[in-house]
Amino acid sequence: GGIVIFSGEKEGIGKTVIIQQSDGIDVWYGNLSTTTMKLYDYVEKGALVGEANDVLYLAFSKGDKYLDYEEYIK
């Protein structure tokens, strides 16, 4: 869970939602076809962020550094 810090279009990955978790890690969900998430929405763990087009873009970052996803997907 966390707070939506971005909801909109990102160059190269289309419609994107970025959720900042309490540990400061940002989770990027891109290439979405639909989403109802708005800036500053609180998102519960396990909530539906949106529907992806054909392939979901998923990334984890902290500050300006992208993180190894294998540490965060369990």
Side-chain angles (χ1 to χ4, degrees), residues 1 4 15 17-20 27-28 30 32 36 54 58-59 61 73:
V4 175
K15 190 176 292 187
V17 172
I18 303 173
I19 299 172
Q20 187 171 74
V27 183
W28 295 50
L32 300 175
T36 60
D54 51 351
L58 181 64
S61 67
I73 297 179

Side-chain angles (χ1 to χ4, degrees), residues 27-74:
V27 183
W28 295 50
Y29 300 88
N31 196 34
L32 300 175
S33 58
T34 62
T35 185
T36 60
M37 300 288 158
K38 295 176 187 64
L39 190 61
Y40 305 124
D41 278 352
Y42 179 76
V43 182
E44 295 283 342
K45 182 178 181 179
L48 179 66
V49 174
E51 294 182 16
N53 287 309
D54 51 351
V55 177
L56 175 66
Y57 174 90
L58 181 64
F60 299 84
S61 67
K62 190 165 189 173
D64 293 334
K65 180 181 175 188
Y66 284 92
L67 306 172
D68 181 1
Y69 75 93
E70 291 178 346
E71 295 181 31
Y72 301 99
I73 297 179
K74 296 179 182 9

